[in-house]
Amino acid sequence: FLLNRSSDLLAAAFSSRLGREVRFEGVTPEAFGELITPLFGPAAAPVVELYQVLNTQDGSTIAEDGSAQELLGLRPRSIEQWLKDLAVS
């Protein structure tokens, strides 16, 4: 399953914001499907299929010149700002 620097950054930001350790634990697409199927029923299947395909890729980087950020002039918030804006505490 996919593990990357983003996972570590999210866990670190949540840890900092919450004042306690938060760890990222990767799961297979199939295990994720087992978790979300009770919530979403059959609608979970396409999500699982997407993660199965993504899991076969070396990476999922979007070319900068074709990204929504570039095309729409948007800049993402930092993880810390996102958590603050959501009032995560």
Side-chain angles (χ1 to χ4, degrees):
F1 44 86
L2 295 176
L3 293 176
N4 57 40
R5 184 161 153 59
S6 296
S7 305
D8 294 334
L9 292 173
L10 281 169
F14 270 97
S15 293
S16 176
R17 182 79 184 163
L18 298 173
R20 61 182 174 82
E21 180 184 13
V22 173
R23 292 180 295 122
F24 173 80
E25 294 184 21
V27 297
T28 64
E30 295 76 18
F32 183 65
E34 290 174 16
L35 293 171
I36 66 170
T37 297
L39 298 170
F40 301 108
V47 175
V48 173
E49 291 171 11
L50 171 65
Y51 282 119
Q52 288 171 327
V53 170
L54 291 174
N55 207 34
T56 65
Q57 306 299 310
D58 289 333
S60 59
T61 303
I62 297 170
E64 191 172 322
D65 61 347
S67 71
Q69 291 176 36
E70 186 65 29
L71 297 173
L72 301 175
L74 302 173
R75 294 294 167 247
R77 294 174 279 186
S78 66
I79 298 168
E80 292 78 10
Q81 186 62 51
W82 174 66
L83 292 172
K84 182 179 177 184
D85 292 347
L86 293 175
V88 172
S89 58

